[in-house]
Amino acid sequence: MVFTVKTSRKIELLDITGQVQAHLERMVRESGITRGLCTVFVPHTTAAVTINESADPSVRTDIVSALKRMVPDDIPYRHMEGNSPAHIQSTLVGASETLLVEEGRLVLGTWQGVFFCEFDGPRTRKVRLSLLGRVP
Amino acid sequence: MVFTVKTSRKIELLDITGQVQAHLERMVRESGITRGLCTVFVPHTTAAVTINESADPSVRTDIVSALKRMVPDDIPYRHMEGNSPAHIQSTLVGASETLLVEEGRLVLGTWQGVFFCEFDGPRTRKVRLSLLGRVP
Amino acid sequence: MVFTVKTSRKIELLDITGQVQAHLERMVRESGITRGLCTVFVPHTTAAVTINESADPSVRTDIVSALKRMVPDDIPYRHMEGNSPAHIQSTLVGASETLLVEEGRLVLGTWQGVFFCEFDGPRTRKVRLSLLGRVP
């Protein structure tokens, strides 16, 4: 299953927990699987997916600032498209997350949400989901 | 399946390989699955899980020092709870690891262990496990 | 399933997309599974696996430079084998990637490839693969 995300800044974290849960529910209905693993996969090399706090948006701001500081724009890079920091940030955060599913829902901690990480936006991006059922 | 970890420091890596293996064996007995994937998921936004060397504890110390250096405490953050570095370190290391299971046991390299990463302790934390069987 | 990778430098990213795809095709033939998840697992503590751009090799060079800069060689470490940066880089990038499989093939974005990350080479290394089928 695939859904689309529209980002509006060069670098930002977008809370996609609701979209992942909604698409998961559709996969649960279609497959009958209510327990298992849901893999969230980002098919882009200048974006990523992470799990972090969804309550306070300033956490996202701090994560963005830290990733900018760790991978600065103003040092020389070999890749000539000018988006090397985005590729590096993508590898640091990672292209996939594997989530537990119970009773047809994501098993997340109290403060956890799923975030699409844009590092070279604004763009229209894709998020892929796959549900695998636990053998009873 | 869930188990509890008690951390004793602000930042530390705890070797949980034995606990993961013990709970995996219980899931193997209950499910009959002996081959597949075991996902280790940390339901916290200021902790993480990683795989690294279990033989020499100084490797853990060096990982902790590097994560502190990369995400310093003494720069301004927006999130007012004072634990922004812990959230950032959680995203850098990641909330889950997916491990291979064969003959009912984790398939780890000679030097590999599974580590719970505490970034905002000391606390009592949870670790969630899920076993999915390979279709024969 | 296991295959071998020979690295030729201290730090480098090797494109293993073709090898992963070839071994996946063999697992697909043997198992009959054509949809599901393929986990790529590196059983080493000074190596990792990532997904990033395969078109322009300079992206790999920039990732290597960034990881060296973020985890410098010339600061004091406790682990006496001299390869602490490699252990830290391994935890930052991660020991596994979970990929989606459809119609017996990896589902990768246009620019994505799978890369073995050597941080303490040159060495002969192993890569493990596991295929789990989606319940229809």
Side-chain angles (χ1 to χ4, degrees):
Chain A
M1 186 153 287
V2 189
F3 66 89
T4 292
V5 166
K6 277 183 208 285
T7 61
S8 54
R9 308 185 66 165
K10 175 92 168 75
I11 307 190
E12 69 179 320
L13 267 64
L14 274 177
D15 191 334
I16 57 170
T17 316
Q19 282 157 285
V20 172
Q21 181 61 43
H23 286 84
L24 173 64
E25 282 167 19
R26 205 174 126 191
M27 290 190 290
V28 165
R29 280 197 305 275
E30 288 172 6
S31 66
I33 299 168
T34 57
R35 285 177 77 86
L37 298 178
C38 178
T39 295
V40 183
F41 184 82
V42 169
H44 304 288
T45 57
T46 54
V49 59
T50 192
I51 297 170
N52 217 299
E53 183 181 317
S54 56
D56 179 1
S58 67
V59 171
R60 274 161 260 179
T61 312
D62 287 340
I63 293 172
V64 164
S65 302
L67 287 167
K68 282 182 181 172
R69 199 179 49 75
M70 288 166 61
V71 190
D73 270 330
D74 56 356
I75 61 173
Y77 293 102
R78 298 276 288 273
H79 182 52
M80 296 310 288
E81 292 176 28
N83 60 359
S84 277
H87 286 288
I88 297 158
Q89 287 152 346
S90 173
T91 276
L92 287 175
V93 177
S96 74
E97 285 288 350
T98 298
L99 298 157
L100 275 57
V101 175
E102 289 181 10
E103 299 178 18
R105 293 190 65 80
L106 299 174
V107 181
L108 290 170
T110 314
W111 305 103
Q112 284 181 319
V114 184
F115 294 89
F116 181 88
C117 306
E118 174 63 80
F119 297 127
D120 193 29
R123 298 206 201 187
T124 302
R125 300 288 207 170
K126 285 179 184 165
V127 177
R128 286 185 170 274
L129 299 179
S130 179
L131 172 64
L132 267 193
R134 190 189 285 195
V135 177
Chain B
M1 186 153 287
V2 189
F3 67 90
T4 292
V5 166
K6 277 182 208 288
T7 60
S8 54
R9 309 183 68 162
K10 175 92 167 74
I11 307 190
E12 69 179 320
L13 267 63
L14 274 177
D15 191 334
I16 57 170
T17 316
Q19 283 157 287
V20 172
Q21 181 60 43
H23 286 84
L24 173 63
E25 282 168 19
R26 204 174 127 191
M27 290 190 291
V28 166
R29 279 196 305 273
E30 288 173 6
S31 66
I33 299 167
T34 57
R35 284 177 77 85
L37 298 177
C38 178
T39 294
V40 183
F41 184 81
V42 169
H44 305 287
T45 57
T46 53
V49 58
T50 192
I51 297 171
N52 217 298
E53 182 181 320
S54 56
D56 178 0
S58 68
V59 170
R60 275 162 259 179
T61 313
D62 286 340
I63 294 171
V64 164
S65 301
L67 288 167
K68 282 183 181 172
R69 199 179 49 76
M70 287 166 62
V71 191
D73 270 331
D74 57 357
I75 60 173
Y77 293 102
R78 299 276 287 272
H79 182 51
M80 296 309 288
E81 292 176 28
N83 60 358
S84 277
H87 286 288
I88 296 158
Q89 287 152 345
S90 173
T91 275
L92 288 175
V93 177
S96 73
E97 286 287 351
T98 298
L99 298 157
L100 276 55
V101 175
E102 289 181 10
E103 299 179 19
R105 295 190 63 80
L106 299 173
V107 181
L108 290 170
T110 314
W111 304 103
Q112 284 182 319
V114 184
F115 294 89
F116 181 88
C117 306
E118 174 63 80
F119 297 126
D120 193 29
R123 299 205 201 187
T124 302
R125 300 288 207 170
K126 285 179 185 165
V127 177
R128 286 185 169 275
L129 299 179
S130 180
L131 172 64
L132 268 192
R134 190 189 284 194
V135 177
Chain C
M1 186 153 286
V2 189
F3 67 89
T4 293
V5 166
K6 277 183 207 288
T7 60
S8 53
R9 308 184 68 163
K10 174 93 168 74
I11 306 190
E12 70 178 320
L13 267 63
L14 273 178
D15 191 334
I16 57 169
T17 316
Q19 283 157 285
V20 172
Q21 181 60 44
H23 286 84
L24 174 63
E25 282 167 20
R26 203 173 128 191
M27 290 190 290
V28 166
R29 280 197 305 274
E30 288 173 6
S31 66
I33 299 168
T34 57
R35 284 176 78 85
L37 298 178
C38 178
T39 295
V40 183
F41 183 81
V42 169
H44 305 287
T45 57
T46 53
V49 59
T50 193
I51 297 171
N52 216 299
E53 183 181 318
S54 55
D56 178 1
S58 67
V59 170
R60 275 161 258 177
T61 312
D62 286 340
I63 294 172
V64 164
S65 301
L67 287 167
K68 281 182 181 172
R69 199 180 49 76
M70 288 166 61
V71 190
D73 270 331
D74 56 357
I75 59 173
Y77 292 102
R78 298 276 287 272
H79 182 51
M80 296 309 288
E81 292 176 29
N83 60 359
S84 277
H87 286 288
I88 296 158
Q89 287 153 346
S90 173
T91 276
L92 288 174
V93 176
S96 73
E97 286 288 350
T98 298
L99 298 158
L100 276 56
V101 175
E102 290 181 10
E103 300 178 19
R105 294 190 64 79
L106 299 173
V107 182
L108 289 170
T110 314
W111 305 103
Q112 285 182 320
V114 184
F115 294 89
F116 181 88
C117 306
E118 174 63 80
F119 297 126
D120 193 28
R123 298 205 202 187
T124 301
R125 300 289 208 169
K126 285 180 183 165
V127 177
R128 287 186 169 273
L129 299 178
S130 180
L131 172 64
L132 268 192
R134 190 189 284 193
V135 177

